[in-house]
Amino acid sequence: MKPICLTVAALLLASSGTACGARSMSDPIASNPYADVKHRAPPQPELKRNPHPTAYELTVKLKDAPGPFASIKGFMQYETRLADPCLPDLGGMAGTRMRLKENVPFELQQVDASTWRGVIYTDLFEDHDYFGLGNCHVGLVAARVELRPTGAATESAFVEYLSLDQIQKQAPTHSGFLKRQYPAGTYGGASVPSFREGTPMRARVDEKDLFGIELIAQKRD
């Protein structure tokens, strides 16, 4: 009788384990906590616009560029903070939550042969309770500028940015790119790295090999 009892007990345990562990057999997230959980996220809601956002005029200046740029575009990168409790928990790794983010384009108008200007906003979206978990703050991370010699989407873009802190300080940021990367670059469509003044990367290159780019934001009344 003992073997039978043991067998029945084993079957009961197996049955119980199967019922409790059925999710782990069918759900890749349960068996692999490092798996991507983006598919669990609800649709991103339409973000609520601030009717009176704070405006800054962004000026982009090039110096000693080796050739023209047919396309100069700007984007404002907005995101919620990582693991903000106002966002749905998607499971998987601890603290894995949905993110709210949006890249908002802005126009850059050419002022002269080497200067462009556009308007950016540091608080384009209002705080709002999108999921019944509290107000979400979708804040500006950076204002990014992408320069392409011919405008082709497949060519490497010369990219520089101002962070929110740099925008609010209204201090110019000086950077540069290697002249030899113009026009096509060697990064297979990826961004060409920049060399900001005062960084270790900048110290390792010869200044004569660079062309310059300056970004500065000034608050508008």
Side-chain angles (χ1 to χ4, degrees), residues 53-58 118-121 170 217-221:
T54 306
Y56 287 78
E57 184 175 73
L58 176 67
V119 179
I120 58 176
Y121 302 94
Q170 303 184 72
Q218 294 178 307
K219 193 172 183 179
R220 302 181 74 176
D221 296 331

Side-chain angles (χ1 to χ4, degrees), residues 44 47 49 76-79 100-104 125:
Q44 174 162 312
L47 301 181
R49 291 288 184 113
M76 292 174 283
Q77 180 186 348
Y78 276 85
E79 289 188 15
L100 291 179
K101 55 186 177 180
E102 189 165 333
N103 283 333
V104 183
F125 300 109

